[in-house]
Amino acid sequence: MHEIHTIAVLGAGTMGRGIAHVAALGGFETRCYDPFPQACEKGAAAVARNLDKGVELGKVARADADGALERLDWYGDLAEAVDGADLVIEAVPEEVALKIDTFAEVAKHAPAGAVFASNTSALSITEMAAATDRPQRFAGMHFFNPVHVMKLIELVRGLETDDATMDALVAVGERMGKQVVRVNEAPGFVTTRINALIGNEAFRMLEQGVASAEDIDRALKLGLNHPMGPFELVDLVGLDVRLSILEYLHASLGEQFRPNRLLVQHVRAGRLGRKSGRGVYRYDEKGRRAD
Ligand SMILES: NC(=O)c1ccc[n+]([C@@H]2O[C@H](COP(=O)([O-])OP(=O)(O)OC[C@H]3O[C@@H](n4cnc5c(N)ncnc54)[C@H](O)[C@@H]3O)[C@@H](O)[C@H]2O)c1
């Protein structure tokens, strides 16, 4: 099995900073890379804030939080970040060409034996793996938002992924405090595929006037025990992110994933969710519901 001590995370956005947080807290030497210095600054502040909150709530010991911050460094240079890394976890924007180009660059600077993983929500692990020099040591590690809170990792096996890589990544996930399910590659894995279907159907019901957004959310929370309603969730995930996932699932799995017109209109209007202040619902500058 591969020994993993040092993890490089690519991208310091919503997911990358969260993965860096759980990696450092799990005891790994962690480097987080982003080409935009502001993203690293915001990422570092968010990790420190979330660790403090963990300490306040009694979920993380102060010494563990301090240790995590010591093990975590932020990089603006890709070559430096992946130099000597045993595992590289990619969390750059969801565009297959960008991910493939990023891994090609990583392969030039990372150790030949390093394992590569992508946090893609839906793209093909096999396609990305095939474009690298190490398809056997490539897998999907699908984390959930917010990473430091959510318990699951879907570990996605591509066509060529070997057992040693899967076993090593299960061990990494468990050290990060997560439960890991093994999934064979299929578009959208398990969770993204089902979630996209529910979210799209919710927009279809809203468009048809079946119920208000609030009532659809309440129905799923109170009647089906979902912790969040589909509209609350899509506002958190981002309507643009959801739309691109649906477009991909529609192309690969068929008609039942055709993106709903009302969702498309929201994206065209710039109503992207919490991050733009308005999605299905409105938010104030502190991110609180404002309607
Ligand atoms: N947001 C979610 O709920 C969620 C959940 C699971 C998986 N994902 C997946 O995680 C990935 C990242 O999503 P996100 O929500 O964190 O996006 P994000 O936009 O918040 O962050 C992406 C980060 O990547 C950086 N970046 C851009 N080009 C880069 C490059 N060439 N190299 C390194 N970094 C680069 C950006 O500056 C940004 O900080 C996507 O593949 C997405 O599908 C997202």
Side-chain angles (χ1 to χ4, degrees):
M1 199 158 102
H2 310 287
E3 289 286 326
I4 311 280
H5 302 289
T6 302
I7 298 180
V9 180
L10 312 181
T14 308
M15 297 305 287
R17 64 184 66 158
I19 297 168
H21 171 145
V22 297
L25 196 57
F28 298 100
E29 290 301 323
T30 307
R31 296 103 168 254
C32 189
Y33 158 75
D34 200 292
F36 299 97
Q38 239 196 351
C40 285
E41 281 160 28
K42 280 170 106 180
V47 171
R49 201 170 49 241
N50 288 332
L51 282 168
D52 280 347
K53 211 163 159 194
V55 172
E56 254 170 54
L57 296 172
K59 293 185 175 165
V60 181
R62 183 75 258 172
D64 293 343
D66 290 343
L69 289 172
E70 270 170 35
R71 281 188 292 275
L72 176 55
D73 285 312
W74 303 85
Y75 288 72
D77 184 283
L78 179 66
E80 276 179 29
V82 304
D83 179 28
D86 306 305
L87 168 62
V88 178
I89 304 176
E90 165 279 308
V92 309
E94 185 81 340
E95 294 156 35
V96 74
L98 174 66
K99 290 183 189 278
I100 285 175
D101 288 351
T102 302
F103 278 118
E105 195 55 31
V106 172
K108 290 186 202 158
H109 306 286
V115 173
F116 291 175
S118 172
N119 179 50
T120 179
S121 304
L123 299 173
S124 169
I125 296 303
T126 302
E127 183 183 353
M128 281 185 262
T132 71
D133 57 352
R134 62 195 80 194
Q136 309 81 354
R137 286 196 301 285
F138 194 110
M141 273 187 108
H142 184 210
F143 291 82
F144 293 80
N145 183 17
V147 178
H148 67 287
V149 174
M150 299 294 284
K151 287 274 166 263
L152 181 68
I153 297 174
E154 279 183 299
L155 182 60
V156 184
R157 179 173 211 141
L159 186 64
E160 312 283 358
T161 313
D162 63 22
D163 289 340
T165 297
M166 293 295 283
D167 293 346
L169 294 180
V170 168
V172 167
E174 288 174 351
R175 262 183 75 185
M176 290 173 169
K178 306 299 177 197
Q179 299 206 24
V180 182
V181 295
R182 295 175 188 242
V183 181
N184 290 318
E185 173 168 276
F189 322 133
V190 173
T191 54
T192 305
R193 179 163 160 180
I194 288 188
N195 214 15
L197 202 58
I198 293 173
N200 207 33
E201 194 60 29
F203 266 105
R204 207 189 326 264
M205 290 165 82
L206 187 63
E207 187 186 30
Q208 291 170 352
V210 172
S212 67
E214 285 87 351
D215 281 350
I216 292 171
D217 274 348
R218 275 205 294 180
L220 266 77
K221 285 191 288 187
L222 301 178
L224 300 183
N225 235 358
H226 289 203
M228 292 177 83
F231 297 118
E232 291 168 342
L233 185 58
V234 77
D235 273 1
L236 181 68
V237 167
L239 277 70
D240 51 338
V241 173
R242 172 61 59 72
L243 177 59
S244 72
I245 291 168
L246 277 165
E247 285 168 346
Y248 175 73
L249 293 177
H250 181 225
S252 49
L253 292 173
E255 232 3 67
Q256 85 246 49
F257 290 95
R258 177 183 291 282
N260 172 263
R261 220 167 37 121
L262 188 59
L263 165 63
V264 175
Q265 276 181 324
H266 275 64
V267 173
R268 286 192 186 135
R271 289 171 61 170
L272 306 183
R274 281 173 182 271
K275 63 186 170 189
S276 67
R278 192 170 183 200
V280 178
Y281 302 116
R282 288 177 192 275
Y283 300 88
D284 66 17
E285 61 289 344
K286 289 198 167 142
R288 290 177 304 218
R289 279 278 292 280
D291 51 10

